[in-house]
Amino acid sequence: NQIGRGDDMRVQINFGDDTISRQQHAVLTYDAKNVEVRIYDGGKPGGLWVNGVRITTDEAVKFGDAIKLGETTLRLVEP
C-alpha cells in the first residue's frame, strides 16, 4: 500500500501537510508468512520515522507504533 498525498496512492494522506510527498512517501505491507506489518521508506524528503527512529530501508512495525511522515504522526492500531 503506497502512502502519499497523490490521488493515485492506495493510502492517500492529503489534509494540508505538504511535507508528505505526493508519490510513495512510504509503502506499508503485510507479510502473511511472518505475520507482520512492514513499512518501507520511499526515499522522499522529510523522511520516515518509527517511534522516533529514522528508517531508511524497511522495518517491521507493530500495533501502537508511531509512524511519522513529514510533519504528520500516525499510529498503527488493530482493526
Side-chain angles (χ1 to χ4, degrees):
N1 297 302
Q2 296 174 326
I3 303 171
R5 288 187 296 125
D7 292 337
D8 59 340
M9 294 290 98
R10 179 84 181 231
V11 179
Q12 184 184 28
I13 301 176
N14 190 9
F15 50 82
D17 183 353
D18 291 339
T19 62
I20 298 174
S21 297
R22 291 189 202 302
Q23 299 299 313
Q24 194 173 309
H25 194 109
V27 177
L28 194 66
T29 63
Y30 175 69
D31 180 346
K33 181 179 178 183
N34 294 313
V35 190
E36 68 182 5
V37 176
R38 298 194 72 78
I39 195 159
Y40 299 80
D41 179 27
K44 305 298 183 182
L48 173 66
W49 304 76
V50 175
N51 298 324
V53 177
R54 176 78 160 99
I55 303 302
T56 57
T57 56
D58 70 291
E59 181 77 24
V61 290
K62 59 187 180 309
F63 295 124
D65 282 350
I67 300 167
K68 184 177 179 194
L69 301 100
E71 295 298 320
T72 299
T73 301
L74 310 169
R75 187 162 310 275
L76 186 64
V77 296
E78 291 186 65

